[in-house]
C-alpha cells in the first residue's frame, strides 16, 4: 500500500503523520510526536530549528521501521518565520520567533515610508507586527549582519525541505504570509522589496503545491532508511493544508481552523483588496489550486498552551 508522510509543525508541537490510500479511502496514523518550544537567549526569542530537524528525522526513522512503502513526504508549518542561508548553503542562525519584540513599533516606521492603503491593495495582507516584512525591516534598521551576508530567505517549511533535499525555493502559500507578495500576480512584489531596501537575492523561485521540490539527500535517505523519496511542496502554511482538507465541496462555505491561532474565513477565487476589507482586518493568503483564503486571524489556543 502506498504511504505518504507529512511532517506537520505547529506552534506548540510537531508530528509525523502517515497517510495510506486503501480502496479510495485515506487512513491516517500518527507515527511520531514531539514538542516545539520557544527559547529565549539573551534578549531574543528563537525556535530550536536544530532540535526540530533532528526530531523530524527521528520520526522518519520510525516510519521506515514500521515498514511503510513510502512514496513521498511533505512539510507544513506555522507562518511568517524564516531562516537565512549564506552562499555556501549554511544556516546563519536559529530562526527568530514571531513573538520576539524586535518588531515592536516597526509597522509605524514602515508606513511613514509607504502608503498603507496602496500597500494593502497590492499585498492584501492584514498588517500585523509579526509578519515577515516587519521582521526583515527591523533587521535592516538594526544593520543586522545576517541580513548583509544572507543569500536566500527560506520560510520554515522551505528551510526543512532545503536541508532534506539541498534544493532552495519558496512555496507559494507560506510565502503569501510574508506581506511581500503581489496578491494578484501570486509572486514577489519587486516594487515593495525595492521600496523597503531589502536585498532582492533573498527571495527565490516561487513553487506551487504539487511541485516536487527534490529527493532526500543520499545521507539522509540512508540515515532514515526511507531511501531517496520525493519531497513535495504542499500548502505548506498549515492553515492552507487544513482548509484544503475540509471534507465538503459545498460552495460558499466558511471554515474555522483552530490551533495556536484560530483562522476564520472562506475560500475565494480572487483576492479581495478593497479598502473595506483592509479596515475590517481581513487578510488574503494563498491557497491550493489557485484559491485565496480570505480570513481573519483570531487568538487561538496559545493562551491555554502558555498556562
Amino acid at each position: 500500500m502506498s504511504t505518504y508522510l507529512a511532517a506537520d509543525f505547529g506552534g506548540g508541537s510537531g508530528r509525523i503523520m502517515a497517510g495510506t490510500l486503501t480502496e479510495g479511502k485515506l487512513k491516517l496514523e500518527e507515527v511520531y510526536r514531539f514538542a516545539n518550544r520557544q527559547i529565549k537567549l539573551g534578549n531574543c526569542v528563537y525556535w530550536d530549528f536544530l532540535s526540530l530537524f533532528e526530531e523530524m528525522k527521528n520520526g522518519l526513522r520510525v516510519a521506515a521501521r514500521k515498514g511503510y512503502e513510502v512514496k513521498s513526504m511533505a512539510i507544513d508549518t506555522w507562518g511568517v518565520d524564516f531562516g537565512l542561508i549564506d552562499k555556501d548553503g549554511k544556516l546563519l542562525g536559529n530562526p527568530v520567533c514571531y513573538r520576539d519584540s524586535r518588531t515592536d513599533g516597526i509597522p509605524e516606521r514602515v508606513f511613514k515610508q509607504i502608503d498603507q492603503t496602496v500597500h494593502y491593495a497590492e499585498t492584501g495582507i492584514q498588517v500585523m507586527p509579526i509578519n515577515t516584512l516587519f521582521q526583515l525591516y527591523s533587521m535592516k534598521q538594526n544593520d543586522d549582519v545576517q541580513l548583509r551576508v544572507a543569500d536566500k530567505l527560506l520560510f520554515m517549511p522551505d528551510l526543512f525541505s532545503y536541508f532534506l533535499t539541498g534544493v532552495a525555493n519558496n512555496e507559494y502559500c507560506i510565502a503569501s504570509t510574508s506581506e511581500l507578495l503581489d496578491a494578484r500576480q501570486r509572486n514577489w512584489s519587486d516594487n515593495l522589496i525595492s521600496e523597503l531596501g531589502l536585498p532582492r537575492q533573498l527571495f527565490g523561485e516561487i513553487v506551487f503545491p504539487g511541485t516536487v521540490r527534490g529527493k532526500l539527500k543520499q545521507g539522509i535517505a540512508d540515515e532514515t532508511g526511507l531511501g531517496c523519496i520525493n519531497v513535495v511542496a504542499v500548502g505548506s502554511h498549515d492553515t492552507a493544508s487544513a482548509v484544503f482538507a475540509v471534507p465538503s465541496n459545498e460552495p460558499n462555505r466558511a471554515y474555522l481552523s483552530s490551533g495556536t491561532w484560530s483562522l476564520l474565513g472562506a475560500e475565494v477565487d480572487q483576492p479581495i483588496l478593497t479598502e473595506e476589507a483592509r479596515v475590517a482586518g481581513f487578510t488574503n493568503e494563498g491557497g491550493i489550486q489557485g484559491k485565496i483564503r480570505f480570513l481573519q486571524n483570531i487568538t487561538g489556543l496559545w493562551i491555554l498552551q502558555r498556562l
Side-chain angles (χ1 to χ4, degrees), residues 259-276:
T260 300
W261 290 84
S262 287
L263 301 309
L264 177 66
E267 284 188 304
V268 295
D269 292 325
Q270 296 296 330
I272 301 171
L273 305 174
T274 63
E275 180 65 2
E276 184 181 12

Side-chain angles (χ1 to χ4, degrees), residues 193-302:
I193 290 167
S194 176
E195 278 187 292
L196 297 175
L198 301 176
R200 181 59 182 86
Q201 81 275 2
L202 294 182
F203 307 98
E205 176 193 8
I206 297 285
V207 298
F208 290 85
T211 304
V212 175
R213 308 188 88 161
K215 293 183 180 292
L216 287 188
K217 292 190 287 189
Q218 190 64 57
I220 291 178
D222 294 342
E223 186 181 350
T224 60
L226 286 177
C228 294
I229 62 171
N230 285 335
V231 178
V232 180
V234 290
S236 64
H237 183 209
D238 50 11
T239 311
S241 279
V243 170
F244 188 66
V246 171
S248 170
N249 291 318
E250 292 293 321
N252 304 319
R253 60 184 170 85
Y255 58 82
L256 176 63
S257 174
S258 286
T260 300
W261 290 84
S262 287
L263 301 309
L264 177 66
E267 284 188 304
V268 295
D269 292 325
Q270 296 296 330
I272 301 171
L273 305 174
T274 63
E275 180 65 2
E276 184 181 12
R278 183 188 74 83
V279 172
F282 281 90
T283 200
N284 293 266
E285 294 179 355
I288 296 172
Q289 292 184 338
K291 295 291 187 179
I292 295 291
R293 292 175 291 118
F294 186 66
L295 61 88
Q296 285 193 331
N297 291 279
I298 304 168
T299 297
L301 301 176
W302 179 77

Side-chain angles (χ1 to χ4, degrees), residues 44-233:
C44 195
V45 181
Y46 298 95
W47 298 105
D48 190 353
F49 175 76
L50 305 182
S51 174
L52 291 175
F53 191 81
E54 188 62 28
E55 290 283 26
M56 177 176 64
K57 288 196 298 181
N58 286 340
L60 299 182
R61 292 186 190 100
V62 172
R65 288 200 299 269
K66 283 178 172 284
Y68 290 117
E69 186 182 332
V70 177
K71 297 297 185 184
S72 65
M73 67 168 291
I75 303 156
D76 71 84
T77 78
W78 65 95
V80 308
D81 287 336
F82 58 90
L84 296 172
I85 58 174
D86 66 13
K87 60 182 177 59
D88 295 321
K90 295 177 181 176
L91 182 64
L92 290 171
N94 254 331
V96 175
C97 175
Y98 60 80
R99 295 191 188 275
D100 185 77
S101 63
R102 65 178 175 170
T103 57
D104 291 353
I106 295 298
E108 291 79 5
R109 295 190 197 180
V110 167
F111 293 118
K112 287 180 180 178
Q113 186 173 341
I114 63 175
D115 183 277
Q116 188 169 351
T117 302
V118 174
H119 172 67
Y120 184 85
E122 181 180 18
T123 66
I125 298 296
Q126 177 189 9
V127 171
M128 300 178 73
I130 66 174
N131 290 349
T132 315
L133 182 159
F134 303 114
Q135 294 193 44
L136 289 171
Y137 196 78
S138 170
M139 295 177 76
K140 179 178 180 293
Q141 292 278 290
N142 292 312
D143 194 26
D144 192 302
V145 66
Q146 287 191 30
L147 196 61
R148 282 191 270 127
V149 301
D151 183 60
K152 288 286 182 290
L153 177 148
L154 297 175
F155 298 98
M156 295 304 296
D158 305 333
L159 195 64
F160 285 110
S161 177
Y162 172 71
F163 282 106
L164 288 175
T165 67
V167 179
N169 47 37
N170 300 121
E171 188 275 319
Y172 162 64
C173 298
I174 197 75
S176 74
T177 69
S178 68
E179 207 174 324
L180 289 164
L181 287 194
D182 183 310
R184 289 190 181 90
Q185 300 299 320
R186 269 94 160 161
N187 211 336
W188 299 114
S189 170
D190 287 335
N191 288 337
L192 178 58
I193 290 167
S194 176
E195 278 187 292
L196 297 175
L198 301 176
R200 181 59 182 86
Q201 81 275 2
L202 294 182
F203 307 98
E205 176 193 8
I206 297 285
V207 298
F208 290 85
T211 304
V212 175
R213 308 188 88 161
K215 293 183 180 292
L216 287 188
K217 292 190 287 189
Q218 190 64 57
I220 291 178
D222 294 342
E223 186 181 350
T224 60
L226 286 177
C228 294
I229 62 171
N230 285 335
V231 178
V232 180

